[in-house]
Structures are given as C-alpha cells and as structure tokens.
Amino acid sequence: MTFTRVQNFKASQAETSEPAAYKQQASLRSWLLSWEIYLIVLVASFLRLYGIQRTEFDGDQADIFQMAHDAIVRGHLVATSNIASIGIYNPPGTIYFLMVPAAISADPVGGAIFTAILSIASVLLTYFCMRRYFGRLAATISASLYATAALSIFYSRFMWNQNLLFFFVTVLIFLFLEVIFFQRKGWLILAIPLLGLLFQLHGSGILLLAPLIVTVVLAPKTVRIRDIVFGSGLLLLLYLPYILWEFSVSFHDVSVLLTGSQRENVYDNQIWILYQTYLSPFYESFLNLDTVYITFFKWVRVFMTGLIILSLLFALFSGLKALRRQHESPRVWWLKPLQWVKALQSSPEGCALLVLASWQLVMLSEIHHTIKLQLHYLIVFAPGQYLLVGIFLAWLIYWLRQRTGWPRVAMYSLSIFSLLLILVQLVGSTYSVLDAVTGQFNEKDFSHPYYNDLQSMQDALARAEDEARVHRIQHIYVDADRSNFSGFRYLAGQAQIPTIVSNDECVLLPDASRGPIIWLVSPYSAVNEALVTHLTNATLLSVSHRPSGAPFKLYLVQPPVHVGDQPLQLSNGMQYLGSQSIHTAQAQGLLTQWRLEKDRPATTGQFYNYHVTSNELGRDSCKVTSVQSDDQLWTFFPQQPAKFNQLSLRVEMYQSTEQSFSLPGLLSFITFDTFSYQTQRFQKASANQGSLTIPWP
C-alpha cells in the first residue's frame, strides 16, 4: 500500500506537457472542492483570531513592534532584534517581518494578526503538502490535529520571535519531502538561508539541521556544489546586518555565547516533560474546569504521548524496512553505508518517514543542556507530531479497510477514535481561547510580574484622553511598571494628547502652576497610588477594568505647591525640595522630593533615568519618557528598622539613546537600527555633583 501519488507523477512525465498540465489543474481543482479544507481553515482561523485584540502586550511584544514601527517611520534598516534570554542580541529577522503590519498600521494588533495569519497558512500548507505526499486521509487528520493543538494556538496569538517559526518550519520540512519524493535539484539554495532564518527567529531553529542532514544523505544526487555556494551566499546576505553589528561591538554576543557554553552541564528529562506538555489538548494556565474534566484532559495527553511513540516507531520501521530487501553485501566494509542508502532510496515513502522521525528524535539531544529549557522551545517541533500521527492512523485505517470481518469493525472504530481525538483537542483549545479572552486565569501565575493585554492598555489610555478633553487638560501622566512600561511607552507615542510615562519606582508630577493633570496608575502600583492620594488633591475619575486582574485607575490630580524651606540647588540642574516620613496602610518609609529644571523632550528611541542613592537606604531608579521643566520627582525608600541622624543622598541623571550606525563612504545613507542603548550622563559630573547630606526627617 502506498500513501503518495509518486507513480502517477512518474507516469505523467512520460506524457506530453499538455496532459500533465491538465492533470495538475484537475488535481488542484479536486483539492479545492474538498469540503474538509474549508472546515479546517475555518476552525484554525477562529481559534487563532477570535478576540485577538486581547493579545499579550508585555515588554517583548512592545519592544519588537516598536522597532518595526520606528524602522518604517525613519526609513532605516535593522541590525538586531531584542535581547534573548541568554543575554545576546537576537538577529533582526523578526523585525523585518513585523515591518509588514507596521507599514499598514501603527496599531500593534496588526502584528498579532500577522503572526496568527502565518500560523493559519502553516495549517493550510500542512494539508496540501500532506495530501500531495501521503493522501487525503492523512492530510485531513494531520491538519485537523494541528489546527486544534492548544499550545500551537496559544503561541500563534501574540507577537514573539519564535512564534513566527510555525510557518517557516513547515515550509522547510516540506521542501525536504519534495526533494525526497521527486529528487529536486537546487533545493539547497533555499534550504540553507531558510535554516538560517529559523535560527534568527529562535536558537532552537538550529535543530532543523538534523532533518536537513538526513535529506542530504537520502538524496545525495540532488546535492550540487554550486547550490551550496549560492545558498551560503544568500545566508551571508541574510546575516550581513547582524555581522556588521557584531563588528561594531567587537563580537560581544559571540563571547557571551562562548561563556554560556562553559555553564554547568545538566542531564535530565526536562525536554521530555515539556514535549508531553506541548501535546496537551488544553493550556493549563488558562483552562478553568472541574477537576473531573481536567483529569480527563490529562489522560488524553498521556494517550497522545503514547500515540506519538507508536507513530515514531512506525515511521522508523517503515523507513528502515527497505534494508531487509538488501541481498548483496559490499566487498569492503566502508561501502556498506552507501549500500544502505541505495536500499533506502528504493522507498521514497520510507525516506520521507525517516526525515520526519529525525525531526522529532533530535529532541533527545536536549537531554544534555546548559540552560533552563522553556516550553516555547518546543515550537520548532510543530507540526511534526501531528504529521506522524496522521500518517500512522491513516495507514492503520487503510490497512484494516482492505480486510473483511472484524478488521472492518476495527476500521470504523479507529475512524471514530480519530474524530473524537480531534474533537477533544477542539474542546480543550476552545476553552483555553475563551479563558484567555475573558481573563479566566491567574495573571500573576501566568506571566511575571503579571499579564497585560493590548486592548486593556489601549482602553485605559483612550479613557485618559477622553477625561483630558472633558477637563481641558493638556498632559497625561502614566504611572507604569516593569510589566507595562514598554507597552505604554509605545502607545503614548501614538496618543493624540501628550503623554509622559514613568516607571513605578518614582512619581512624576508637573509643577503646581500648570494646573491639574490626568494621572493613570497601573493595577499594582499601590505605593505610588497611596503617595499621590495622600499628598495631593486627587479625585478618582474612573476605573478601567481589565479582564484578568486589578484595573487601571484614572485620577484628576492637582500637584501640591511646595511650602517650607528654600529649595536646595544642586550642581547638576536639580533642586532638592525636602523629605518626609510617610505612614499609610500601603506606604511606610521615606519620601524625597525633587524639582527638575530642564526640559527633556520625548524622542523616539530615547528615555531618561534618575538614580537617587542613599548610603543608608539603598537606591531608587526612575525611568521616564520625557520631562517638562519644573516637574516634580518623588522617590520613595521603604522604612528601615534603624533610624539615622542624617542621610547622604546622591542624584545621577542619565540619558539612554537607542544606538544606530551607518555604512561608511558612499553608502553612508544606509542606517541600521539596533536594540542596544547607549547611556550617558546629561553633563560632565564634578566630584560633588548631585550629592547632599540631610537630617533624618
């Protein structure tokens, strides 16, 4: 029994080109008339696009879309993406892809939609390619399982570097299969840069080197030196911006990688646990069902794991069974591997299964690792799991159908089982999506420090602008935190009313002479909210609810007028206004107040840092997107057990600017943006700049 149309293809080659073209058109027409295609695409689209406005919008998502948007506005190229978890700058592939939706709209939801559409295209490509090589039933089962896979859906619903892998991994794998079945030449011209692109999106992409090597071994006649040269040239061109960046920083990222290779070696089963988790029919962080249903879904995951193992064994057995038909033995031992390859090539289906099996089995190389493995590292293996299961189940059904008696009953039972497996995944993934959209999850357990969705942040800023228009206020001040500072920084740049964003380690307010402001406070900024409501005339205007946790709050704040001693002028352009002890339910400690004398304009790719350091109490770091002259800066130190007679304070002011570089000579008009920031003082520091000693309040 065969899964493919290889014989039909070879027969068509013997005919004239016109009948061959006609047959191809007829085949495509029959595929497009297959009802299951539209149902699969409809389900995949619903699960990946429903409620997409609630897409995650934390630091990474805001950073990469900000870079894409800025590159479009400036007309620049890009040399790096954001920083990876291991501390190196990622290559810029992600940014170039996100420049497509950024060129259409500045709304970040476009980036999430773009990511989801690529994932949907991956599902559709899975169906067409599986049908081309393994038949309609295998294509339907594989694409349906992939379309309803909970973790694949989850990672398809927000912007992230590795979330773009779904589409390009599928393209590369089916390029391998095309080579195996039809011995296409020239494929390395595409495969080499495509593998490099996968590595740009995430380091786990290098694992696709395993099926590439297997393809080369099983189709050696398709390998040409010129293809390797051209493919390597395209790879070099793809990495040229990143290489230029590495030259400019003396290959700093390379040294970080080499240092990382010296970390402690770990041998464990962590990769296997994550692999099983990825096969789950639901995402545990979202699903809120009774214990009985949760237990049922977990058993389905265990069963799916067993099915994957059986499918892998079937793929290996089917791929290697051609070796049993080998009768001749080479005279010299070193020719034996060549004889094996020749025997394997007699079965294109078996070779294809070996390529798919190698794709999944390379996972075992991660039993030894030097960094902590994460669940999103498993994206690189999708949709391989579902391809193997689809092929295995289709083979069983076809095999049983050729027999009479009880095998026919078993065939119908297996068909019903396949349908039920798809439906169980559909139910679990649908619940996961609905929970994600409605906020039915613990946001602090799901993301650190907590989860932010784009629509909630946009709604909060839109409501702040509405309140500002109602009260005829010219500026909005946003009290952001580590989780949403990057997001609000980007959204503030698109606001119609000037919006200043500061982190929650300080409070930034205008001078009292400018009148009241609209102050937007983050959900868990309890200390800053307590300080402002305690020390100013603050009126709560509205609450902007978030589906997953505490709301944003909007205040109408009249900044306080400084009364008391004459402000103390510091040599760095700041004034010390005074200090006071605070004792409220939410805030207990020492508050220091400062006046900033100079304007610091809001500029793309730039923000400002103010570090207030106490030898006795530690340091408070304030990050702001812009400053108006005479703005007040409050820093807060939690109460210490010991009391001091006096405090030594030092204030340092820095400007962080995104680094760009241009090519030399006649190419100086070509500029590359990076995610690297250069930090420098506002002015040269003297020995006692910004330092003072005050009595304990």
Side-chain angles (χ1 to χ4, degrees):
M1 120 101 214
T2 180
F3 293 115
T4 68
R5 306 291 187 269
V6 176
Q7 292 81 2
N8 293 341
F9 176 83
K10 290 180 178 179
S12 69
Q13 298 303 301
E15 301 175 3
T16 63
S17 59
E18 183 176 350
Y22 175 80
K23 284 188 176 184
Q24 290 177 1
Q25 292 176 2
S27 176
L28 179 61
R29 189 183 306 113
S30 67
W31 289 11
L32 293 177
L33 292 176
S34 300
W35 61 270
E36 70 272 10
I37 294 178
Y38 304 98
L39 181 59
I40 290 171
V41 172
L42 180 64
V43 170
S45 301
F46 169 77
L47 293 174
R48 286 159 177 80
L49 290 173
Y50 176 75
I52 195 69
Q53 69 276 6
R54 292 287 182 189
T55 183
E56 184 175 357
F57 199 59
D58 293 326
D60 284 339
Q61 291 74 47
D63 288 337
I64 58 180
F65 196 79
Q66 174 98 56
M67 290 193 68
H69 175 266
D70 292 348
I72 291 293
V73 171
R74 298 169 179 168
H76 289 180
L77 298 177
V78 183
T80 79
S81 181
N82 56 344
I83 298 178
S85 57
I86 59 176
I88 66 170
Y89 288 91
N90 288 312
T94 304
I95 309 303
Y96 283 108
F97 286 117
L98 290 180
M99 286 169 68
V100 175
I104 299 173
S105 172
D107 192 337
V109 75
I113 293 174
F114 178 77
T115 304
I117 288 176
L118 282 181
S119 178
I120 297 167
S122 175
V123 174
L124 186 59
L125 183 62
T126 296
Y127 177 88
F128 279 112
C129 292
M130 285 294 290
R131 182 161 179 176
R132 175 174 173 81
Y133 307 124
F134 297 100
R136 183 175 181 178
L137 182 58
T140 302
I141 296 174
S142 299
S144 299
L145 288 173
Y146 183 29
T148 57
L151 268 297
S152 294
I153 293 167
F154 168 72
Y155 286 115
S156 301
R157 291 175 56 84
F158 63 96
M159 292 177 287
W160 212 13
N161 307 53
Q162 54 270 13
N163 294 359
L164 299 176
L165 284 172
F166 289 111
F167 177 75
F168 295 101
V169 166
T170 307
V171 171
L172 183 61
I173 289 298
F174 289 119
L175 177 61
F176 296 159
L177 296 184
E178 185 73 10
V179 173
I180 291 295
F181 278 107
F182 303 112
Q183 298 296 303
R184 307 286 193 192
K185 294 182 179 180
W187 64 281
L188 283 170
I189 298 177
L190 297 176
I192 293 175
L194 191 53
L195 182 64
L197 174 61
L198 296 180
F199 188 72
Q200 284 209 15
L201 299 178
H202 193 262
S204 60
I206 197 64
L207 296 176
L208 270 295
L209 188 61
L212 185 146
I213 293 173
V214 173
T215 304
V216 169
V217 170
L218 296 177
K221 294 181 180 180
T222 65
V223 178
R224 300 181 297 192
I225 298 298
R226 68 172 184 237
D227 296 339
I228 297 176
V229 172
F230 287 142
S232 300
L234 291 175
L235 179 65
L236 179 63
L237 183 63
L238 182 67
Y239 273 84
L240 184 59
Y242 191 68
I243 293 172
L244 293 174
W245 156 255
E246 289 298 333
F247 268 112
S248 70
V249 295
S250 302
F251 292 91
H252 173 264
D253 295 316
V254 176
S255 64
V256 172
L257 281 175
L258 294 176
T259 302
S261 65
Q262 299 173 3
R263 297 189 182 106
E264 181 183 359
N265 294 322
V266 177
Y267 293 87
D268 57 25
N269 64 341
Q270 186 180 359
I271 186 65
W272 177 243
I273 295 173
L274 293 175
Y275 192 86
Q276 286 183 287
T277 303
Y278 199 90
L279 297 175
S280 177
F282 69 97
Y283 190 24
E284 294 183 25
S285 295
F286 283 137
L287 200 63
N288 287 280
L289 293 175
D290 295 336
T291 305
V292 174
Y293 295 103
I294 294 292
T295 303
F296 169 74
F297 279 127
K298 288 184 176 180
W299 273 108
V300 171
R301 180 176 68 188
V302 173
F303 190 83
M304 188 69 177
T305 302
L307 191 56
I308 287 288
I309 294 174
L310 288 176
S311 301
L312 273 170
L313 293 175
F314 167 77
L316 291 173
F317 174 79
S318 300
L320 297 175
K321 70 178 181 180
L323 295 178
R324 296 184 304 172
R325 296 194 295 266
Q326 179 186 347
H327 302 294
E328 299 181 4
S329 180
R331 296 180 180 179
V332 289
W333 64 269
W334 52 269
L335 289 177
K336 187 173 291 187
L338 297 178
Q339 193 73 17
W340 292 343
V341 171
K342 186 177 180 180
L344 292 173
Q345 288 177 328
S346 64
S347 172
E349 296 93 340
C351 291
L353 289 172
L354 289 178
V355 170
L356 295 177
S358 68
W359 177 18
Q360 300 303 299
L361 290 175
V362 73
M363 165 196 69
L364 299 177
S365 66
E366 298 306 306
I367 292 175
H368 162 246
H369 54 93
T370 58
I371 61 175
K372 182 180 179 181
L373 302 178
Q374 304 290 340
L375 187 58
H376 59 263
Y377 294 2
L378 277 296
I379 292 175
V380 77
F381 298 111
Q385 310 96 324
Y386 313 110
L387 304 188
L388 290 171
V389 169
I391 294 169
F392 177 57
L393 292 177
W395 177 84
L396 277 178
I397 291 173
Y398 284 139
W399 185 83
L400 292 170
R401 191 173 65 179
Q402 293 175 348
R403 286 153 178 80
T404 58
W406 68 263
R408 281 300 181 99
V409 177
M411 181 200 71
Y412 290 118
S413 300
L414 187 59
S415 301
I416 295 173
F417 162 78
S418 301
L419 178 60
L420 289 176
L421 184 60
I422 295 168
L423 290 177
V424 167
Q425 282 202 166
L426 176 61
V427 171
S429 57
T430 301
Y431 267 108
S432 298
V433 169
L434 294 177
D435 282 351
V437 172
T438 58
Q440 300 300 312
F441 57 91
N442 188 327
E443 62 176 0
K444 292 188 176 180
D445 289 342
F446 173 73
S447 185
H448 184 75
Y450 65 94
Y451 178 89
N452 282 285
D453 72 275
L454 176 61
Q455 185 174 7
S456 292
M457 297 175 68
Q458 290 177 322
D459 288 348
L461 269 182
R463 185 168 295 186
E465 289 190 289
D466 291 341
E467 294 288 357
R469 293 187 186 97
V470 169
H471 294 86
R472 297 183 180 180
I473 292 174
Q474 301 301 316
H475 283 85
I476 297 170
Y477 283 68
V478 178
D479 181 84
D481 54 34
R482 187 176 68 176
S483 181
N484 58 34
F485 180 86
S486 295
F488 274 128
R489 177 187 166 204
Y490 174 78
L491 295 176
Q494 316 306 315
Q496 297 179 1
I497 296 177
T499 302
I500 298 174
V501 183
S502 61
N503 69 345
D504 61 349
E505 294 190 42
C506 63
V507 174
L508 185 69
L509 297 173
D511 184 71
S513 62
R514 292 201 180 97
I517 61 164
I518 298 297
W519 191 61
L520 172 61
V521 60
S522 292
Y524 302 104
S525 295
V527 172
N528 284 2
E529 185 178 4
L531 293 175
V532 170
T533 55
H534 180 66
L535 298 175
T536 71
N537 182 9
T539 303
L540 180 63
L541 296 177
S542 64
V543 172
S544 184
H545 291 284
R546 301 166 56 248
S548 58
F552 293 104
K553 295 180 182 179
L554 285 173
Y555 284 91
L556 179 66
V557 176
Q558 175 62 56
V561 178
H562 172 69
V563 293
D565 298 335
Q566 183 70 20
L568 178 61
Q569 184 71 43
L570 277 67
S571 59
N572 60 359
M574 291 183 64
Q575 292 180 349
Y576 171 69
L577 300 181
S579 304
Q580 56 181 302
S581 294
I582 302 295
H583 297 280
T584 69
Q586 291 79 20
Q588 296 184 9
L590 177 68
L591 177 71
T592 64
Q593 298 170 283
W594 313 82
R595 178 175 291 148
L596 311 177
E597 295 184 324
K598 294 184 179 180
D599 282 330
R600 307 292 178 187
T603 305
T604 301
Q606 185 169 280
F607 54 85
Y608 308 94
N609 297 279
Y610 296 87
H611 297 163
V612 179
T613 306
S614 167
N615 294 338
E616 298 80 11
L617 302 179
R619 189 173 82 167
D620 206 3
S621 299
C622 184
K623 182 190 295 185
V624 300
T625 56
S626 63
V627 170
Q628 299 183 90
S629 61
D630 295 329
D631 272 359
Q632 300 180 50
L633 181 70
W634 297 357
T635 61
F636 183 75
F637 297 95
Q639 183 72 52
Q640 300 295 313
K643 291 295 183 71
F644 307 95
N645 294 326
Q646 60 184 20
L647 296 176
S648 298
L649 298 176
R650 184 176 68 258
V651 181
E652 299 170 297
M653 303 183 297
Y654 298 92
Q655 176 177 300
S656 296
T657 306
E658 182 184 288
Q659 285 186 276
S660 299
F661 65 92
S662 301
L663 296 179
L666 297 177
L667 299 177
S668 59
F669 64 93
I670 300 179
T671 302
F672 293 90
D673 291 339
T674 74
F675 190 69
S676 175
Y677 282 83
Q678 182 179 9
T679 301
Q680 58 184 7
R681 289 178 183 266
F682 289 141
Q683 61 189 54
K684 291 185 178 180
S686 59
N688 63 345
Q689 177 185 348
S691 299
L692 72 159
T693 301
I694 63 171
W696 179 269

